[in-house]
């Protein structure tokens, strides 16, 4: 667990945080989806490296699920949806990009401050993984609340889920049944969200969630 | 008596409850349900009596049910055996009463499935030996009794009663849950044996006491948590009212005793002061409330509040004595409290069953519409009279003995070193005396207005005596009241193992060996009481005076008076009413406690409308406790209402900020 093994694991998981920042930064939908695919690909790499270094073959299944579902199917489906919706492909952000990144940095700092004392007894890799995972979850949440576009909120949600998988894998690995059921629930969520996107689009001619607020009689 | 003796009757009760779910509409299904409930209760009664009288070591059993890593722990020891006797005695008598009374039930499918399940639930609470089982069965008991309260849900007020009961029961269980959480500590030992072994800090123990007072006290009916009790107990069918009032409140007392006397360890002296003060307030206010009531069943329910107060006075004294290592005094106070638990279960069941007979014979609960029933229902009247005398603490009946014992414990209170207790206990004694006297007045009213005089309505005039099975149930309870009154030594001896188990093996001296079955709690030089002699004296002097009156007065010449003895016209509305009977007391106490106001509306001369007097009462528990609370909850809910109409992004922001705040808190305070 030292030397190269640790460094590679560290680099891959850290890479996920960096990609999370990229997600936060993107303001075009296709680029956002590509970045999300990269995020999921990195997750698959992290998990398979964990499987290799800990000699835990069932984690390869987790990695496979991450690769197939999250890195390939979900981005492709979302691409198609956007194409068929024919929506405007720039994203309005609530905060400016600079402020957004600054808040993101603060969130990562918070994750470090919280996690370091809590996990003092654990081994180094677990501590790193948990910190990265919490950062990714917080960044995903931040993305969900700073975007007005429904598609980018979906991407934020999916990246949060990646963070959770990272935490589970880093801590002790999770049972395969749980992992498979989570993967399927994410897929089903994708289907439901996709249908909703079409419905929203049909009714409002946009997927900007502000339109829904206006429809409910709220102030925009 | 090994524990599995109880499992058979329990399985029988639950089984017949399940049968009633499908079969309650069939003819004679009530006979099957009540018959099997009766048999199971008698079997369990036999088992628990044997356990109490032979006093073997506690027997335990673990069933592989419930939570997978703990299972269901059951245990029967002296304390639970004593309360099992009460539950199953009440269960047997009310089931037998149900055999006769159940035919009057219009909606048997709403009563029959829940009645045996309620009995089984109360048994299970007493047998539970871990917090999970205790809370689960406690909640099951609450739910079953709630279902029974809601049996006649279309009658006015019953739905409200059920709602208030459900709220209070939920709050009580929540408090108990927290109490067990504190008792279990950080390691989470939810088995009662772990809790008994664990040591708590002063603050944690005090917290457990307060939570238990809220949790068990709300079920038992301690002021100001009693509000559901006068609503819910009368709403249920009468034999269920008897169970709820006479038995279920005792299960709550058991919960309090199990936690505070058994699991919590050594008490601090001020615990006794708190419990004493609560008990005294509950006793006096309970009986004052009862005096203001003209609804027979509601009056009885308020009397339950009063008697719970008396029981808690005994328990508070026991705590105070135990904290000062005066274990003889504690044994006396505990015996008094337990004896009163037993007595109250007898005469309150008796009175509720009697009022049930009156209700099914006349269809009335309002005393102002009854009267003269002693001519139509002489046997019910006799049993009700015995119960009234017992609850009014008249010698030679059982109520007197337990209240006398409580007074004996109060009289040795100068031995207590703390000044607060030195001042408090005599005041509590005065409150106890006041409540006993007011209870006497109240039952003169209840019996006199209901059974004496002349009928006030046609329904009361045409009442029929109730069936023999119901009467048997009434007279079994009445006989037990008399027996426990004239042979109190036997009851005290049966209670001794319970007292010893809670009081560091100190108990009262054995009473059976005393000459003439006299009750000598501490030493003969101090005080003693002999119910048998009092009974003989009363019988002798009663016969003598009856003879003398008959000889000297009855045969004397009489002359009819011109004004016909206060009844110039033959109108029953001219009789003394419940309201007029209570008026002096209402003016004395009610004007302060209940802000009773009388308004007389006198028509002007020449105006032909009748004069009216209206009395308005206000309930301090509602006015100063619950209504402001409801107001606050409503205001807060109104303020937070707009949270229901936020945008998706704002909801997410709320979640996000809450998460960040919690994480920040963790980062800063860790």
């Amino acid at each position: 667990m030292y030397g190269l093994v640790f460094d590679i694991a560290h680099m891959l998981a850290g890479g996920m945080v960096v990609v999370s920042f990229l997600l936060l930064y993107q303001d075009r939908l296709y680029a956002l989806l590509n970045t999300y695919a990269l995020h999921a690909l990195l997750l698959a790499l992290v998990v398979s490296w964990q499987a290799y270094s800990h000699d835990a073959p069932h984690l390869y299944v987790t990695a496979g699920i991450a690769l197939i579902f999250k890195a390939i199917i979900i981005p492709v489906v979302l691409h198609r949806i956007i194409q068929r919706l024919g929506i405007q492909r720039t994203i309005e952000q609530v905060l400016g990009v600079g402020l957004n990144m600054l808040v993101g940095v603060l969130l990562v700092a918070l994750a470090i401050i919280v996690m370091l004392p809590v996990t003092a007894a654990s081994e180094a890799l677990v501590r790193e993984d948990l910190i990265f995972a919490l950062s990714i979850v917080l960044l995903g949440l931040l993305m969900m609340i700073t975007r007005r576009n429904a598609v980018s909120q979906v991407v934020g949600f999916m990246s949060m889920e990646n963070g959770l998988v990272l935490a589970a894998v880093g801590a002790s690995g999770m049972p395969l049944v749980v992992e498979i059921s989570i993967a399927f629930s994410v897929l089903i969520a994708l289907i439901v969200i996709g249908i909703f996107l079409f419905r929203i689009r049909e009714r409002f001619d946009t997927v900007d969630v502000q339109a829904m607020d206006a429809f409910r009689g709220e102030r925009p | 008596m090994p524990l599995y003796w109880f499992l058979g009757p329990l399985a029988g009760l639950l089984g017949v409850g399940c049968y009633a779910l499908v079969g309650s509409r069939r003819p004679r299904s009530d006979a099957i349900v009540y018959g099997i409930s009766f048999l199971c209760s008698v079997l369990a009664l036999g088992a628990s009596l044997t356990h109490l009288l032979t006093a073997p070591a506690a027997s335990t059993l673990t069933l592989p049910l419930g939570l997978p890593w703990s299972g269901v722990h059951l245990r029967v020891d002296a304390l639970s055996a004593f309360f099992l006797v009460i539950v199953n005695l009440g269960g047997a008598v009310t089931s037998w009463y149900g055999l006769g009374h159940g035919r009057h039930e219009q909606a048997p499918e709403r009563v029959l499935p829940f009645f045996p399940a309620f009995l089984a639930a109360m048994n299970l609470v007493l047998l539970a030996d871990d917090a999970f089982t205790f809370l689960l069965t406690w909640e099951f008991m609450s739910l079953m009794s709630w279902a029974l309260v809601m049996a006649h849900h279309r009658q006015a007020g019953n739905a409200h009663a059920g709602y208030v009961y459900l709220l209070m029961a939920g709050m009580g269980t929540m408090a108990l849950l927290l109490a067990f959480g504190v008792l279990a500590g950080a390691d989470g030992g939810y088995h009662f044996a772990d809790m008994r072994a664990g040591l708590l800090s002063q603050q944690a123990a005090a917290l457990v006491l307060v939570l238990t007072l809220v949790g068990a006290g709300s079920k038992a009916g301690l002021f100001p948590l009693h509000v559901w009790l006068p609503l819910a107990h009368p709403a249920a069918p009468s034999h269920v009212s008897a169970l709820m009032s006479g038995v279920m409140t005792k299960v709550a007392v058991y919960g309090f005793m199990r936690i505070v006397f058994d699991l919590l360890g050594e008490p601090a002296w001020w615990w006794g002061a708190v419990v004493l003060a609560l008990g005294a307030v509950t006793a006096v206010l309970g009986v004052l409330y009862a005096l203001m009531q003209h609804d027979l069943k509601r009056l009885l329910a308020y009397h339950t509040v009063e008697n719970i107060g008396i029981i808690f006075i005994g328990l508070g004294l026991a705590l105070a004595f135990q904290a000062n290592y005066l274990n003889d005094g504690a044994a006396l106070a505990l015996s008094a409290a337990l004896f009163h638990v037993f007595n109250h279960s007898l005469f309150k069941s008796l009175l509720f069953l009697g009022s049930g007979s009156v209700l099914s014979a006349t269809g009335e609960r309002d005393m102002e519409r009854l009267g003269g029933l002693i001519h139509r229902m002489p046997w019910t009247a006799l049993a009700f009279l015995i119960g009234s005398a017992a609850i009014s603490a008249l010698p030679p009946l059982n109520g007197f003995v337990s209240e006398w014992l409580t007074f004996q414990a109060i009289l040795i209170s100068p031995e207590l070193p703390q000044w607060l207790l030195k001042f408090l206990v005599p005041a509590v004694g005065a409150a106890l005396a006041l409540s006993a006297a007011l209870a006497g007045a109240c039952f003169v009213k209840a019996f006199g207005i209901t059974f004496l005089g002349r009928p006030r309505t046609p329904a009361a005039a045409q009442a029929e005596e109730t069936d023999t099975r119901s009467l048997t149930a009434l007279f079994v309870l009445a006989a037990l009241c008399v027996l426990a009154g004239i042979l109190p030594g036997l009851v005290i001896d049966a209670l001794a193992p319970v007292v010893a188990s809670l009081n560091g093996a100190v108990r009262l001296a054995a009473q059976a060996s005393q000459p003439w079955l006299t009750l000598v709690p501490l030493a003969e030089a101090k005080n003693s009481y002999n119910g048998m002699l009092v009974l003989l004296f009363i019988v002798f002097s009663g016969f003598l005076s009856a003879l003398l009156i008959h000889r000297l007065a009855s045969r004397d010449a009489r002359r009819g008076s011109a004004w016909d003895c206060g009844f110039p016209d033959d109108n029953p509305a001219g009789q003394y009413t419940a309201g007029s009977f209570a008026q002096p007391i209402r003016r004395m106490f009610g004007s302060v406690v209940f802000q009773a106001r009388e308004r007389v509306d006198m028509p002007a001369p020449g105006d032909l409308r009748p004069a009216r007097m209206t009395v308005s009462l206000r309930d301090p528990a509602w006015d100063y406790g619950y209504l402001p609370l409801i107001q606050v909850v409503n205001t807060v809910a109104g303020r937070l209402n707009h949270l229901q109409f936020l945008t998706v992004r704002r909801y997410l922001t709320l979640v996000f900020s809450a998460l960040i705040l919690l994480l920040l808190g963790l980062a800063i305070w860790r």
Side-chain angles (χ1 to χ4, degrees), chain B residues 288-296 298-299 302 367 442 445 578 617:
Chain B
L288 280 178
Y289 275 118
L291 266 164
M292 304 298 133
Q293 288 302 322
H294 310 318
D295 179 321
L296 192 54
R298 184 164 294 176
L299 180 145
Y302 272 122
M367 281 189 268
C442 191
K445 175 179 114 172
L617 295 172

Side-chain angles (χ1 to χ4, degrees), chain B residues 21 46 105 134 171 218 251 265 268 331 397 413 465 530 534 566 634 662:
Chain B
L21 274 180
E105 182 60 56
F134 185 92
M171 189 203 68
S218 68
V251 177
L397 294 168
S413 68
E465 178 61 282
N530 191 322
V534 173
N634 273 342
L662 289 176

Side-chain angles (χ1 to χ4, degrees), chain B residues 472-483:
Chain B
T472 330
L474 290 178
F475 275 96
V476 165
L477 287 172
L480 284 173
C481 281
V482 176
L483 280 179

Side-chain angles (χ1 to χ4, degrees), chain B residues 5 39 71 90 105 184 222 240 260 279 348 350 356 358 411 419 429 465 493 510 534-535 582 596 604 607 629 637:
Chain B
W5 277 85
L39 282 181
E105 182 60 56
L222 274 185
V240 179
V260 173
K348 189 46 62 73
L350 167 58
V358 170
L411 289 179
W419 280 103
E465 178 61 282
D493 285 349
V534 173
L535 176 69
D607 193 347
L629 191 68

Side-chain angles (χ1 to χ4, degrees), chain A residues 20-38:
Chain A
S20 274
F21 272 101
L22 288 182
L23 283 174
L24 210 53
Y25 172 82
Q26 292 302 331
D27 56 0
R28 265 175 263 169
L29 274 181
Y30 283 149
L32 189 73
L33 290 180
N34 293 340
T35 320
Y36 173 72
L38 181 63

Side-chain angles (χ1 to χ4, degrees), chain B residues 213-479:
Chain B
L213 273 175
V214 173
S218 68
K219 185 66 84 189
L222 274 185
F223 183 85
L225 303 168
H226 68 278
V227 288
W228 65 273
L229 203 139
L231 297 174
H233 286 188
S238 294
H239 55 305
V240 179
S241 307
L243 271 186
M244 288 180 73
S245 220
V247 177
M248 189 176 72
T249 54
K250 308 306 173 298
V251 177
V253 172
Y254 164 82
F256 180 81
M257 293 183 76
R258 174 64 76 192
I259 294 177
V260 173
F261 283 86
D262 187 15
L263 303 181
L264 200 46
E266 209 164 285
W269 67 267
W270 61 267
W271 296 9
V274 171
V275 178
L276 267 172
L278 270 177
V281 172
T282 306
V284 174
L285 281 181
V287 70
L288 280 178
Y289 275 118
L291 266 164
M292 304 298 133
Q293 288 302 322
H294 310 318
D295 179 321
L296 192 54
K297 285 177 81 175
R298 184 164 294 176
L299 180 145
L300 294 176
Y302 272 122
H303 262 284
T304 301
V305 176
E306 181 226 348
N307 282 284
I308 288 296
I310 295 173
I311 292 166
F312 272 84
I313 287 176
L315 295 179
L317 279 171
L319 280 175
F321 283 122
Q322 276 190 353
N324 290 300
Y325 306 104
L326 297 168
N327 279 17
D328 286 325
L332 179 56
L334 265 180
S335 304
L338 290 171
F339 202 160
H340 201 71
V341 164
F342 177 62
N343 289 341
H344 183 249
S345 80
L346 290 180
F347 48 63
K348 189 46 62 73
S349 304
L350 167 58
L351 290 169
F352 259 115
L353 295 183
S355 73
S357 294
V358 170
L359 179 61
S360 57
T362 63
E364 288 290 347
R365 277 171 23 188
D366 188 351
M367 281 189 268
E368 311 278 31
R369 302 173 61 79
L370 294 171
L373 290 179
I374 196 169
H375 303 296
R376 308 286 308 181
M377 314 171 71
W379 294 109
T380 309
L382 177 62
F384 199 92
L385 179 63
I386 294 175
S388 302
I391 199 174
S392 311
L394 294 183
L397 294 168
N398 55 353
F400 177 77
V401 185
S402 49
E403 293 201 22
W404 181 79
L405 282 173
T406 314
F407 273 115
Q408 296 308 311
I410 286 175
L411 289 179
I412 56 170
S413 68
E415 293 174 16
L416 292 168
Q418 288 87 8
W419 280 103
L420 176 64
L421 288 174
K422 274 189 204 291
F423 282 114
L424 180 64
V425 177
V428 169
L432 182 59
L434 176 66
S435 72
L438 290 177
C442 191
F443 274 94
V444 170
K445 175 179 114 172
F447 184 80
I449 304 293
T450 310
F451 288 98
L452 303 183
R454 279 181 294 165
R456 293 178 174 80
T457 51
Q462 285 149 20
E464 291 290 330
E465 178 61 282
T466 183
D467 56 294
T468 43
R469 285 207 184 107
S470 306
L471 276 181
T472 330
L474 290 178
F475 275 96
V476 165
L477 287 172

Side-chain angles (χ1 to χ4, degrees), chain B residues 516-540:
Chain B
W516 298 94
L517 293 170
T518 307
L519 189 59
V520 186
L522 292 173
E524 197 146 5
K526 286 194 168 173
N527 270 312
S528 64
Y529 167 72
N530 191 322
M532 188 76 91
L533 286 183
V534 173
L535 176 69
L536 285 179
F537 173 75
I538 289 175
V539 169
F540 177 70

Side-chain angles (χ1 to χ4, degrees), chain A residues 108-119:
Chain A
V108 176
L110 178 66
I112 295 172
I113 295 172
V114 170
M115 274 300 174
L116 276 185
V118 176
T119 55

